[in-house]
Amino acid sequence: MAGMLYLVPTPIGNLGDISQRCRETLEQADFIAAEDTRVSLKLLNHLGIKKSLVSYYEHNKAFKGNVIVERILAGETCALVSDAGSPAISDPGEDLVRQCAEAGITVCAIPGPCAVITALSISGQATGRFCFEGFLSTAKKSRREHLASLENESRTMIFYEAPHKLLATLEDMAQVFGPERPISLCRELTKLHEEVVRTTLGQAIAKYSENAPKGEFVLVVAGAQPIEKEEATAEDASGMVRRLMAQGLSRKDAIKQTAKELNLPKNAVYDAALAIEE
Ligand code: SAM
């Protein structure tokens, strides 16, 4: 019988955030696949768990993924952990989940700590619709292209960022979104020096130009305000009907098209166009 793959989230700062279910899964797994075995060993020592560890990270995942899948198919249960937070979210795991699913292996994700959700919930920004953008590229050109593609994004946008790149990223964001765009900078979540700075991009730039940022950050940026279209008037409608008829459309088709384009009821356009001769 095939084993299983468990995705086990670990604390993003506060060790008290490891759940009973995660603890039990780590205890009961046959082996643990870890992003950095030294980091995970510290957590396992803290939990008093002794277990065989294998490394699974960006640069060995192509080869190690196959080894892990073979072991699971042979009947072993694997618990996958990353350095902190939920595996597979801007962390190794995405490929292993896909490989296991393709091999018919059952994958079980245990809910738990995740920086993106923790930041969104504390940000004070709109939470109804959001998009997670992960890390921006370190290359200036692709970072700017990525941000430019979000210029009209109306959902709340969430980014991971390293402190040494924060200022450059805020400056690029201000170029695209404008300095007045609200942002919540969620720093050192669940840790002793947890801090949420709810401000604007311009003010954040001023703040971190004076004091270099330290610690881990999630940036939660407000989406673009929808552009309110002014309602079309009867004059706009008759003008458009006139133009369309001059282009050769019948009166009926011109009214139909005008109503559609100006988002007006057909009878309102008809009334506005009464005086126009066929
Ligand atoms: N998979 C992880 C998760 O689910 O939380 C995220 C891993 S990603 C490699 C690491 C990034 O997550 C950091 O650069 C930072 O942007 C964010 N992060 C992790 N822990 C954090 C914390 N305690 N406070 C703020 N941001 C954190």
Side-chain angles (χ1 to χ4, degrees), residues 9-14 35 82-92 112-119 132 134-135 159-163 185-191 194-195 215-219:
T10 53
I12 56 170
N14 188 324
E35 181 182 8
S82 62
D83 287 353
S86 297
I89 307 299
S90 290
D91 262 343
C114 185
V116 52
I117 296 301
T118 311
F132 175 54
F135 286 102
F159 302 85
Y160 284 162
E161 194 48 290
L185 298 107
C186 306
R187 190 175 79 88
E188 295 288 88
L189 294 167
T190 77
K191 300 184 192 174
E194 173 173 307
E195 178 188 41
E216 295 197 277
F217 282 85
V218 181
L219 311 178

Side-chain angles (χ1 to χ4, degrees), residues 191-205:
K191 300 184 192 174
L192 186 62
H193 298 293
E194 173 173 307
E195 178 188 41
V196 181
V197 178
R198 300 178 184 90
T199 183
T200 61
L201 284 169
Q203 283 169 5
I205 291 169

